[in-house]
């Protein structure tokens, strides 16, 4: 693994495989850069691209700040541009899944270094809404309080439930703060994305159904093309790699 230093001093770990135009892959929540390798994406894409797999801040081997401010949108985007700089990728394609796709859409809307974007299992408009937003806020408040108590030397682990102790040891606190930052991110409308973008959703992703209905008719005249993969759920559109490449392959060519 290689390391890029973000402007705020956060270490971002990444790998580079293959040769050709640069393609940055951004993992989903609970995943790491290695998820792309394990699922077979890197082996296939590296035949045509210089594939850059990144551990987003808070995940994998990258640094894991423990404050909400550390996961502000501007800092996360700065991480990725720092990786591109360190990897000598003046311009690059970006492909994200889940949380990584949510981040990628901001990069595609705000950076003139992005050539094209593949956004898998994310939404348009607000970064998170409804029940998911409420859950993220509650989780962030709960775990941020524990992190603050630990920093102040006042956290008594013995008072935590067995489940919370296990979750804390598994990195839940930082993960909750990192994902909770999404509630403060501004909306992104398709018209704001200035590069060719393929937006992929699973047919059975119930969490995205309403968003899909809302935006299907708003894509005309934009750079965003929506593809719905039939007979798939949220996880399928990452792990059913052959079905995914049937759609993404022609787009990247």
């Amino acid at each position: 693994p290689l390391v890029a230093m973000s402007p705020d001093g956060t270490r971002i770990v990444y790998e580079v495989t293959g040769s050709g135009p640069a393609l940055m892959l951004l993992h989903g929540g609970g995943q790491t850069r290695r998820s792309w390798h394990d699922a077979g994406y890197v082996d296939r894409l590296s035949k045509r691209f210089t594939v850059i797999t990144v551990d987003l801040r808070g995940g994998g081997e990258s640094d894991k700040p423990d404050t909400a401010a550390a996961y502000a949108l501007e800092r996360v985007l700065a991480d990725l541009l720092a990786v591109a700089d360190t990897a000598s990728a003046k311009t690059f394609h970006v492909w994200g899944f889940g949380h990584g796709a949510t981040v990628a859409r901001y990069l595609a809307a705000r950076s003139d270094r992005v050539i094209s974007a593949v956004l898998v299992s994310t939404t348009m408009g607000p970064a998170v809404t409804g029940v998911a937003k409420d859950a993220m806020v509650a989780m962030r408040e709960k775990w941020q309080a524990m992190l603050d108590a630990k920093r102040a030397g006042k956290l008594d682990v013995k008072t935590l439930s067995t489940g919370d102790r296990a979750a804390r040891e598994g990195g839940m606190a930082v993960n909750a703060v990192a994902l909770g930052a999404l509630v403060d991110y501004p909306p992104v409308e398709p018209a704001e994305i200035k590069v060719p973008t393929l937006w992929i959703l699973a047919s059975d992703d119930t969490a995205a159904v309403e968003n899909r209905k809302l935006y299907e008719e708003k894509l005309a005249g934009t750079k965003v093309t929506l593809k719905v993969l039939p007979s798939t759920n949220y996880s399928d559109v990452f792990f059913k790699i052959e079905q995914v490449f049937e759609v993404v392959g022609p787009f990247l060519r």
Side-chain angles (χ1 to χ4, degrees), residues 213-251:
K213 290 179 180 178
L214 179 63
Y215 279 97
E216 276 179 319
E217 296 182 0
K218 295 183 179 182
L219 299 180
T222 73
K223 296 281 189 178
V224 180
T225 300
L226 173 63
K227 294 289 185 180
V228 179
L229 297 193
S231 303
T232 55
N233 59 35
Y234 178 89
S235 297
D236 287 340
V237 287
F238 184 81
F239 291 105
K240 291 189 175 181
I241 187 170
E242 295 299 333
Q243 194 170 352
V244 171
F245 269 94
E246 286 180 8
V247 175
V248 180
F251 173 77

Side-chain angles (χ1 to χ4, degrees), residues 61-77:
E61 294 181 83
S62 290
D63 284 347
K64 301 171 179 61
D66 61 3
T67 65
Y71 296 92
L73 177 59
E74 292 73 16
R75 295 194 179 196
V76 174
L77 298 185

Side-chain angles (χ1 to χ4, degrees), residues 9-247:
T10 300
R11 295 170 60 260
I12 305 299
V13 173
Y14 70 99
E15 291 182 54
V16 176
T17 311
S19 61
L23 169 60
M24 186 179 292
L25 302 181
L26 305 180
H27 62 79
Q31 295 182 328
T32 72
R33 70 181 192 280
R34 296 302 308 174
S35 300
W36 296 100
H37 293 262
D38 295 342
Y41 286 90
V42 174
D43 182 60
R44 180 173 297 201
L45 290 167
S46 61
K47 294 176 174 63
R48 293 181 50 221
F49 295 93
T50 297
V51 181
I52 305 170
T53 50
V54 183
D55 279 339
L56 295 170
R57 68 166 56 200
E61 294 181 83
S62 290
D63 284 347
K64 301 171 179 61
D66 61 3
T67 65
Y71 296 92
L73 177 59
E74 292 73 16
R75 295 194 179 196
V76 174
L77 298 185
D79 293 346
L80 303 178
L81 296 179
V83 168
D85 288 341
T86 309
S88 300
K90 185 176 181 180
T91 59
F92 56 94
H93 304 270
V94 63
W95 181 340
F97 170 72
H99 177 57
T102 300
V103 172
R105 65 186 195 150
Y106 291 100
L107 200 61
R110 296 186 177 201
S111 176
D112 58 6
R113 297 174 63 176
V114 175
I115 302 168
S116 73
V118 178
L119 310 177
V120 183
S121 290
T122 188
T123 56
M124 292 292 167
V128 61
T129 59
V131 175
K133 180 178 180 179
D134 294 340
M136 283 186 178
V137 170
M139 289 291 288
R140 179 173 68 175
E141 291 177 351
K142 170 183 174 178
W143 289 101
Q144 186 66 68
M146 289 190 194
L147 289 169
D148 292 343
K150 178 185 177 183
R151 195 180 303 109
K154 297 180 179 180
L155 178 63
D156 183 356
V157 177
K158 296 178 182 178
T159 65
L160 302 180
S161 68
T162 302
D164 280 352
R165 284 200 299 272
R168 176 177 172 272
E169 292 170 3
M172 175 60 77
V174 168
N175 191 46
V177 172
L179 291 179
L182 291 174
V183 303
D184 300 321
Y185 289 9
V188 174
E189 297 299 321
E192 297 178 66
I193 300 176
K194 305 302 183 184
V195 297
T197 297
L198 181 61
W199 179 25
I200 300 176
L201 293 174
S203 61
D204 302 331
D205 185 353
T206 55
V209 168
E210 290 304 316
N211 189 261
R212 186 177 101 199
K213 290 179 180 178
L214 179 63
Y215 279 97
E216 276 179 319
E217 296 182 0
K218 295 183 179 182
L219 299 180
T222 73
K223 296 281 189 178
V224 180
T225 300
L226 173 63
K227 294 289 185 180
V228 179
L229 297 193
S231 303
T232 55
N233 59 35
Y234 178 89
S235 297
D236 287 340
V237 287
F238 184 81
F239 291 105
K240 291 189 175 181
I241 187 170
E242 295 299 333
Q243 194 170 352
V244 171
F245 269 94
E246 286 180 8
V247 175

